[in-house]
Each structure stands twice: as C-alpha cells, then as structure tokens.
C-alpha cells in the first residue's frame, strides 16, 4: 500500500534508491551527500547537515537531523486554528507567487477543502494583469460552485480586494481567497502592487469591526527545487509571509528542496500540491515526509 505522499515523492525516492544500488543499514557521508545533491537540497545546507553527523549514519541519526531542519521557528500554523461557530472570523488569504507557480490552481484546491469544512468561500480574481487569469479562476469557481468576484482586465487589484472583503463581510462569508498577479519582469511594480493590496485589505478588514485575519501564503513551484529560494526570499522581504505551499511535487525528483525552503525562509510549509485537480492537495506532515525519504535509503526497522 502506497500512501499519497509516497506516490507523490516517488520520483525523488526512486532516484535515491537507484543511486544507492540497494537500501542500507548505515550510509556513509559520501552516499548521503550524493543523494541530497540529487534530491536538490542546497549545498550549504548539505554541508551543515553532514558536519553534524557521524561517519556512518544510521536511520535514527538522520531522522533526528532531518526533523531539526523542518522544525522552523514555530510560527503558529494559521491553518491549525480551530474556530467554533460562535467566534466567527473573516479569514482573508492572499495567494502570492511568480507566474505559473500554481497560485490559481492552489486557490481552487484550498477553496474545495474549505468548502468541505462547511465554510462559505469567496474567490477574488486579483490577477488582473492577465485576461486569461480572470477566466481561469472563473472557470474554477463554476466547476466548484463557488462564487468569484472579478473586475476587468487591467483594473487595480487592490480595489478588487477591497470589494471582495466588503462583500464577504456583508454576505457573511468565512473565507476570501485572493488571487494575485505573478509577473516578475517589473519587480518594483509588483512590490508596490502587492504592498498596496495588503494595505488596502488590512484597512478594509479593520473598518469592519469584526474578528478577522489576513494571511499571506507563498506558492512555490516544486519542480524548481532549491532554485526557487531566491524568489521566495524576494517575496518574504516584500511582506511578512505566514506560510508556504509547494506545488507540482508529483512531477519532480527535487523533493529534498523542501528542507532548503523551510530552512532558508524559517516559515512553515502548510500544503503540498500533488496534481492538477481540486483534490490534489496534501497537508504537509513533516514526520511523514521524512519517513518516506528514509524508507528509500534504509532497510525497514521495527520502530
Ligand atoms: N502536476 C501538477 N501541476 C500543477 C500543480 N499545481 C498547478 N499545476 C499546473 O501548473 C500550471 C500553472 O498553474 P496556475 O495555477 O495557473 O499558476 P499561476 O500562474 O501561479 O496561477 C497549470 O497548468 C496547473 O495545472 C500541481 O500540484 N501538480
Ligand atoms: Mg494564476
């Protein structure tokens, strides 16, 4: 029986097992180094990790070291908050990232998830830069039967954010998922635009005099592996991010980059994108992730 996660990570784990030739009881530093390079952990982190390990590395030792890498400063996972119906909070989630990272698809997946948690969800078509982006999110809305608030191509996305929040409050929605544009070639514009969306959204929420939260989630393309860290840092510098979601892990052998992303940004990884449909979203479980990787390196132990 393969779990969804082990299916998703199959390219990464197959690469590891075939590099090793067979599963081991202990790994040498050279073997581990080669595996981690292939799995796209960034080299600085590989060196740091190898320094902390003995010459012959047991599964237990590596498990401990891996766990440490994913134990990011425990910023409370905003997705963990359990709300009772009596303390209704309007949650606004701004979805940020470069073009093609998987923002709009992830919005559809999150919307589907929240809908199944009986939350009333509104989508905001905030990528007004590309006409096709507005059509794309509208198509998802239609398919999932979730309303989408949109404006015309080229219009100010912060005005759309304001309208979506005001509308969501008036109509008693629980969650607003706001799409954003991801073009990188005009970074100053992107920065200013993002900052304005955040400012306007915060203002709109503050004026409502109701419990609310504004979260900023960064979407990273998993097929880019550790090379996505530069862009991730750019976004983290522009605004205080609340968490990361890594997409397209189904199509890559660069699963080791998850460690690099978590370490370099010090942010929780919340979800993994594991396909193109609305159901292809996995809550990130560090223990499970680590054990899946270890299973491809070591003989099974009885723990
Ligand atoms: N295989 C796979 N494809 C994905 C995943 N997430 C998004 N995609 C695809 O990546 C492409 C870009 O996604 P999109 O949501 O439009 O990216 P955006 O530009 O950031 O909004 C689309 O073809 C999606 O179907 C994922 O987790 N796995
Ligand atoms: Mg999009």
């Amino acid at each position: 029986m393969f779990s969804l996660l082990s299916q998703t990570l199959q390219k990464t784990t197959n690469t590891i097992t075939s590099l090793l030739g067979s599963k081991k009881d202990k790994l040498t530093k050279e073997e581990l180094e080669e595996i981690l390079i292939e799995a796209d952990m960034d080299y600085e982190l590989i060196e740091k990790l190898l320094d902390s390990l003995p010459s012959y590395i047991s599964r237990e030792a590596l498990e401990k070291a891996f766990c440490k890498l994913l134990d990011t400063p425990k910023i409370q996972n905003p997705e963990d908050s359990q709300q009772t119906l009596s303390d209704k909070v309007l949650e606004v989630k701004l979805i940020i990232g470069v073009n093609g990272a998987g923002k709009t698809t992830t919005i559809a997946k999150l919307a589907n998830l929240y809908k199944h948690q009986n939350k009333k969800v509104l989508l905001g078509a905030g990528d007004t830069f590309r006409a096709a982006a507005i059509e794309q999110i509208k198509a998802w809305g239609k398919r999932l039967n979730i309303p989408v608030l949109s404006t015309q191509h080229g219009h100010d996305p912060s005005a759309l954010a304001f309208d979506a929040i005001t509308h969501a409050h008036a109509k008693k929605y629980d969650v607003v998922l706001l799409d954003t544009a991801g073009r990188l070639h005009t970074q100053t514009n992107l920065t200013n635009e993002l900052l304005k969306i955040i400012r306007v959204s915060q203002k709109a929420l503050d004026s409502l005099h109701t419990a609310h939260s504004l979260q900023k989630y960064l979407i990273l393309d998993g097929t880019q592996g550790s090379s996505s860290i530069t862009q991730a840092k750019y976004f983290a510098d522009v605004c205080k991010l609340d968490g990361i979601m890594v997409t397209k892990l189904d199509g890559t052998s660069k699963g080791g980059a998850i460690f690099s992303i978590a370490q370099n940004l010090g942010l929780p990884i919340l979800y993994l994108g594991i396909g193109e449909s609305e159901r292809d979203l996995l809550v990130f479980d560090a223990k499970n992730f680590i054990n899946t990787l270890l299973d491809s390196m070591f003989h099974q132990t009885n723990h």
Side-chain angles (χ1 to χ4, degrees):
M1 256 286 286
F2 285 112
S3 73
L4 258 183
L5 182 68
S6 60
Q7 271 177 42
T8 303
L9 290 174
Q10 217 163 31
K11 275 200 175 168
T12 303
T13 52
N14 283 347
T15 309
I16 292 173
T17 311
S18 69
L19 269 178
L20 285 174
S22 65
K23 295 185 186 182
K24 310 279 177 181
D25 289 323
K26 291 202 171 178
L27 297 181
T28 64
K29 287 201 178 187
E30 290 70 30
E31 284 170 332
L32 183 59
E33 180 182 21
E34 195 185 357
I35 288 170
L36 295 177
I37 290 174
E38 205 55 37
D40 208 41
M41 186 186 279
D42 72 286
Y43 200 71
E44 220 171 291
L45 190 58
I46 295 178
E47 277 189 312
K48 197 174 115 186
L49 185 76
L50 291 173
D51 280 348
S52 73
L53 289 164
S55 305
Y56 292 94
I57 305 153
S58 67
R59 180 178 177 128
E60 288 68 29
L62 190 54
E63 181 177 5
K64 233 187 210 165
F66 275 169
C67 284
K68 236 176 168 175
L69 294 185
L70 289 181
D71 186 18
T72 50
K74 243 319 177 210
I75 303 155
Q76 193 207 348
N77 183 340
E79 295 292 308
D80 282 345
S81 63
Q82 293 288 326
Q83 282 149 27
T84 58
L85 283 174
S86 57
D87 51 62
K88 194 172 165 77
V89 174
L90 177 56
E91 295 177 54
V92 178
K93 296 169 198 283
L94 196 60
I95 307 299
I96 298 170
V98 299
N99 259 345
K103 292 181 296 301
T104 309
T105 311
T106 304
I107 285 175
K109 294 172 182 177
L110 290 170
N112 185 55
L113 176 78
Y114 299 146
K115 188 178 140 182
H116 282 98
Q117 294 170 349
N118 291 320
K119 291 181 178 170
K120 197 174 165 190
V121 186
L122 178 67
L123 306 183
D127 182 354
T128 59
F129 187 69
R130 288 190 313 126
I134 300 173
E135 291 316 310
Q136 188 191 1
I137 195 166
K138 278 187 176 168
W140 272 117
K142 202 166 170 193
R143 178 176 164 151
L144 300 174
N145 199 18
I146 291 174
V148 182
L149 199 76
S150 63
T151 178
Q152 270 173 7
H153 170 219
H155 277 196
D156 184 357
S158 55
L160 185 272
F162 184 90
D163 289 347
I165 290 168
T166 318
H167 181 74
H169 177 60
K171 300 286 177 192
K172 300 196 170 11
Y173 280 84
D174 300 296
V175 188
V176 182
L177 287 162
L178 287 175
D179 202 3
T180 61
R183 66 206 181 278
L184 265 185
H185 58 273
T186 52
Q187 280 203 355
T188 330
N189 285 348
L190 180 64
T191 306
N192 289 338
E193 183 176 288
L194 262 179
L195 287 173
K196 188 172 172 196
I197 295 171
I198 294 165
R199 211 166 50 236
V200 169
S201 299
Q202 195 61 60
K203 230 176 170 171
L205 283 168
D206 290 342
S207 72
L208 297 176
H209 301 294
T210 182
H212 59 254
S213 71
L214 175 62
Q215 280 131 17
K216 288 146 275 168
Y217 293 150
L218 179 66
I219 309 300
L220 292 178
D221 179 339
T223 63
Q224 290 191 12
S226 285
S227 66
S228 67
I229 288 170
T230 315
Q231 40 158 294
K233 281 185 169 161
Y234 159 76
F235 284 105
D237 285 344
V238 171
C239 58
K240 191 182 157 297
L241 295 170
D242 297 282
I244 294 177
M245 308 186 193
V246 184
T247 62
K248 308 185 199 177
L249 270 181
D250 48 306
T252 180
S253 60
K254 297 179 178 173
I258 293 274
F259 293 107
S260 303
I261 292 167
Q263 274 286 306
N264 278 277
L265 293 161
L267 286 166
I269 292 170
L270 307 175
Y271 293 101
L272 305 179
I274 60 166
E276 295 186 278
S277 101
E278 69 269 20
R279 292 176 307 279
D280 293 330
L281 187 72
L282 216 56
V283 175
F284 180 68
D285 176 336
K287 269 240 144 17
N288 200 356
F289 174 77
I290 288 168
N291 276 315
T292 305
L293 294 184
L294 293 175
D295 285 345
S296 70
M297 304 174 195
F298 295 96
H299 295 301
Q300 297 290 347
T301 52
N302 318 316
H303 70 96

